[in-house]
Amino acid sequence: MALLRKKRIFYILIGFTFMLCIYAIRVVWIQIHSAKMAISASGMTINELAVRQREEGIVLDPGRGQFLDRHGSPLTGRAVWVPVLFPVKELPDAVQLNAIAALLGVSAAELEGRWSKLQYPYIWADGEGRALAVSGDEAGKWMEISGFEILPYMQRYSESDSGKQWLGYVAQRPDFIRSLSGRSNGRSLPLTMQVGASGLERTFDMFLRGVGSTRAAFSVDGQKRPLFELGTRLTSANDRYYPLSVRTTIDGTIQHQLEDLSEQMGIREGAIVVLDAAKGDVVAMVSRPFFNPQKIDLEQGNWSNHAVKAAVPGSIFKTVIAAAALEEGLATATEKFHCTGHYGKYGLSCWKEGGHGTITLEQAYAQSCNIVFAALGERLTAASIQRTADKLGVGRLVGWHDPSFLDGAGLRQMDQEEAGTVFAMGTRPDGGARAQTALGQRDVMLSPLQAANMVVTLLHDGKVMAPRLVQDIYFKNGTRMLQLPPRSAPSAYGAVSPTTAKMLRSWMKEVVQRGTGQSLQSARWHLAGKSGTSQVSPAGRAANHQWFIGYGPVEEPLYAVAVLVEKRPIGAPHQATELFRHVMDILAARIHE
């Protein structure tokens, strides 16, 4: 019996020893391997969680890459000094509390009430929810108060609203991050990470994700009492190559000036697109209404980029019709037409009361005569109109595109870009439909980006360029990582002839010299272009979209510009023409600085 008891004790000891060995092996495995694996939804490791049990921390810089303008000036990412409150059991004394309250612009009682209830570190915000920025001089005065620090914080966007919808915004997208599992170079991404949700932030998100954040941690004991000997600890990734910088084609100064101009002129809805005439690059792109990337309202839709959204073009589409008639040999510049003011067949009318009388095709373009172009629409076939539009980059996507950018995956720089339409799918346009289409009405839709790029196409004798927003990407040390060179966007149908392109450019000059754009003669440069007015019915109320497209200076074109002012009251002055002139004056001033 005693022997049996001893055997049982022996077996129990063996079992305990075995369990102890397993436990020891598990602890060693955790220390060596598992401690470095992310185990939380935010991507933290066991080691980080263990350290942070005695720290109250806050992210000062998520480590995301930044955008630059064409000159290297930052478009995102501005370091500001912000007051940070850390949760502590004992608040500073009354003298220090009053001093901090004065800096923050609140009463000591309000500060004490909010501070005492903190569960997590808090960046002090003003009444509108914006981080309160203080000067660098102020920052140096507040380093000795327990639980209060003024720290450098990376503010990604300006606090004010802007028309940079092409830039986009970031947001938390857990489903998207889960979809990246296995495609992040073995690096686990926290589900709380902010990633690109629209614009360039989304299309270039793969390059912008950093390798680690900069974090400030304030050490406390188990009772949340400050450990003064440890102080505030700053940790960062300190990588030689990341974060990356994405250099755009945007001129930040021009962009800002045009945003101010649209505000001063009271433009409610619309867009301004400025392209470099030489390469077709986007120099500036303004969308109205403005949006705030830090306060996105998906239902309101201000984040939508009107510059790449298709809209009814009106008479600027007569450029396509004129090109089609010339290319098909169905009309000549000197052919004479007669405009009585009415086109009896389909109830169409000309904008000029009583009509233009006898008029050539060249004059009809300059005067934007509806009757002449309705007649051309009937002469042309739907196929020839569609084909010529495609040759000019209308009715299809034209933004910079590489179908096999990296690892065979394609890349389109222009987020939200719409192709627009010439004729509705599945229709067989009769003469009336073609006549209306020739006036830029019915099913015709094109974007301000396409309109400006059509002008660039004419300046390049029929070669369609692919507008860029990004030209290259740089490592943190300044070495270029990747270049995105200019591209063309050729049509499957070929190109309009240089002769046709040259003739249309000269007709655009006539628009300003003797046609609907004569008010532009007072501009700083000699300009050429085409006006347009389209009839729309938003929410069942009649209104007009006003357009003007063109280039300047005429002698040596530097820029192609398209402006769209949406939903103007019927009979209102042509604000798009005025806006075009002011845009060109700003560009002229910029060149001559």
Side-chain angles (χ1 to χ4, degrees):
M1 195 70 176
L3 180 61
L4 182 60
R5 184 181 296 110
K6 288 181 180 179
K7 286 183 177 181
R8 288 177 178 172
I9 293 172
F10 177 74
Y11 290 143
I12 291 171
L13 289 174
I14 291 294
F16 273 119
T17 303
F18 180 71
M19 292 176 62
L20 185 62
C21 288
I22 291 177
Y23 177 75
I25 292 171
R26 170 66 175 168
V27 169
V28 170
W29 184 81
I30 288 174
Q31 290 292 325
I32 295 175
H33 178 71
S34 182
K36 299 179 181 179
M37 295 175 59
I39 64 169
S40 71
S42 61
M44 294 185 188
T45 65
I46 289 179
N47 284 344
E48 289 175 320
L49 290 172
V51 171
R52 294 187 184 190
Q53 281 183 337
R54 291 295 178 265
E55 287 184 343
E56 296 294 346
I58 192 167
V59 174
L60 299 175
D61 182 357
R64 187 171 176 83
Q66 304 293 352
F67 288 100
L68 309 173
D69 80 349
R70 61 170 51 202
H71 305 296
S73 299
L75 294 171
T76 58
R78 182 173 71 98
V80 296
W81 292 92
V82 296
V84 181
L85 301 179
F86 293 90
V88 291
K89 185 174 183 180
E90 298 179 2
L91 299 183
D93 59 38
V95 174
Q96 292 178 326
L97 204 63
N98 282 321
I100 297 172
L103 173 70
L104 301 180
V106 296
S107 66
E110 181 182 350
L111 172 61
E112 184 176 7
R114 292 171 65 175
W115 200 347
S116 62
K117 296 177 182 177
L118 287 183
Q119 298 295 318
Y120 305 98
Y122 173 69
I123 295 177
W124 190 268
D126 61 19
E128 297 182 3
R130 299 176 299 192
L132 179 67
V134 300
S135 67
D137 293 337
E138 287 285 354
K141 301 177 183 178
W142 305 91
M143 299 300 177
E144 304 297 329
I145 298 179
S146 174
F148 174 79
E149 296 273 4
I150 293 184
L151 299 171
Y153 175 75
M154 184 60 70
Q155 186 181 71
R156 187 158 189 83
Y157 306 114
S158 168
E159 296 287 1
S160 59
D161 294 358
S162 81
K164 302 182 188 68
Q165 283 86 343
W166 49 266
L167 185 60
Y169 65 96
V170 295
Q172 291 184 7
R173 301 171 60 195
D175 291 344
F176 173 71
I177 291 176
R178 289 190 186 98
S179 73
L180 296 176
S181 177
R183 292 189 287 147
S184 303
N185 299 322
R187 184 166 62 93
S188 177
L189 301 178
L191 296 180
T192 55
M193 172 186 281
Q194 290 199 323
V195 294
S198 78
L200 292 181
E201 292 279 22
R202 189 182 75 82
T203 53
F204 284 87
D205 186 73
M206 70 182 84
F207 298 102
L208 296 168
R209 296 174 216 140
V211 295
S213 62
T214 298
R215 186 173 180 273
F218 185 72
S219 300
V220 295
D221 64 14
Q223 300 297 317
K224 289 192 179 295
R225 292 175 299 196
L227 297 175
F228 297 105
E229 64 275 11
L230 297 181
T232 302
R233 189 166 66 97
L234 290 175
T235 57
S236 63
N238 270 337
D239 190 275
R240 179 181 178 184
Y241 298 104
Y242 291 85
L244 302 175
S245 295
V246 177
R247 188 165 70 105
T248 69
T249 61
I250 296 292
D251 186 310
T253 299
I254 292 175
Q255 176 74 28
H256 180 69
Q257 289 176 323
L258 297 189
E259 289 181 9
D260 285 349
L261 172 64
S262 70
E263 189 77 9
Q264 293 162 10
M265 292 188 63
I267 309 299
R268 293 185 178 182
E269 291 187 56
I272 304 170
V273 177
V274 179
L275 300 183
D276 175 354
K279 298 179 180 178
D281 291 340
V282 179
V283 177
M285 183 183 283
V286 178
S287 176
R288 298 286 307 190
F290 286 174
F291 87 126
N292 187 330
Q294 301 181 98
K295 298 177 182 178
I296 297 298
D297 186 335
L298 293 178
E299 293 185 2
Q300 190 178 29
N302 286 4
W303 57 276
S304 181
N305 186 359
H306 286 231
V308 296
K309 295 293 185 180
V312 184
S315 293
I316 66 169
F317 191 73
K318 291 173 181 173
T319 306
V320 174
I321 300 301
L326 294 172
E327 290 285 286
E328 298 289 332
L330 297 178
T332 64
T334 57
E335 181 181 352
K336 293 182 180 180
F337 298 79
H338 189 72
C339 171
T340 62
H342 296 280
Y343 197 67
K345 286 184 180 180
Y346 309 111
L348 300 176
S349 61
C350 192
W351 63 268
K352 184 176 181 180
E353 191 71 29
H356 292 94
T358 301
I359 188 172
T360 66
L361 178 54
E362 179 180 5
Q363 292 169 335
Y365 184 86
Q367 297 295 333
S368 199
C369 177
N370 288 345
I371 305 306
V372 172
F373 279 87
L376 289 180
E378 282 207 271
R379 286 187 192 180
L380 293 162
T381 64
S384 64
I385 295 173
Q386 183 78 60
R387 186 168 56 245
T388 306
D390 199 282
K391 289 180 180 180
L392 291 170
V394 173
R396 61 187 176 94
L397 301 178
V398 294
W400 194 98
H401 175 226
D402 187 339
S404 56
F405 182 59
L406 288 176
D407 300 326
L411 174 69
R412 285 194 179 277
Q413 292 193 10
M414 303 287 177
D415 187 36
Q416 305 180 40
E417 184 186 3
E418 293 181 351
T421 58
V422 177
F423 296 104
M425 289 287 291
T427 61
R428 293 184 178 180
D430 58 15
R434 298 198 305 277
Q436 288 180 303
T437 297
L439 307 184
Q441 294 285 163
R442 202 174 174 88
D443 301 319
V444 187
M445 300 277 282
L446 61 84
S447 69
L449 176 67
Q450 290 172 327
N453 200 53
M454 179 170 64
V455 177
V456 173
T457 299
L458 298 178
L459 293 173
H460 283 254
D461 287 335
K463 181 181 179 180
V464 183
M465 303 301 293
R468 291 186 300 175
L469 268 171
V470 169
Q471 50 187 324
D472 38 30
I473 301 173
Y474 289 87
F475 287 115
K476 181 180 178 180
N477 62 8
T479 304
R480 185 159 63 188
M481 171 193 182
L482 190 65
Q483 185 177 20
L484 289 77
R487 285 177 171 266
S488 61
S491 168
Y493 303 107
V496 298
S497 69
T499 301
T500 295
K502 182 179 180 181
M503 186 172 292
L504 289 173
R505 294 199 304 268
S506 70
W507 290 5
M508 285 185 171
K509 298 177 191 176
E510 287 297 305
V511 169
V512 176
Q513 292 301 315
R514 299 176 183 84
T516 57
Q518 292 184 58
S519 62
L520 298 175
Q521 293 178 18
S522 61
R524 295 185 61 171
W525 277 341
H526 291 149
L527 303 175
K530 181 73 185 78
S531 62
T533 302
S534 59
Q535 300 171 0
V536 294
S537 300
R541 299 181 62 182
N544 285 336
H545 286 348
Q546 297 177 347
W547 293 78
F548 202 96
I549 63 174
Y551 64 93
V554 164
E555 297 79 8
E556 188 178 348
L558 297 175
Y559 299 104
V561 173
V563 299
L564 165 63
V565 182
E566 299 182 60
K567 302 175 186 176
R568 289 279 287 165
I570 301 295
H574 206 275
Q575 194 175 27
T577 304
E578 181 186 3
L579 178 58
F580 179 85
R581 178 173 64 82
H582 287 305
V583 169
M584 281 298 190
D585 283 348
I586 287 173
L587 296 174
R590 179 71 169 157
I591 290 295
H592 296 115
E593 282 181 355

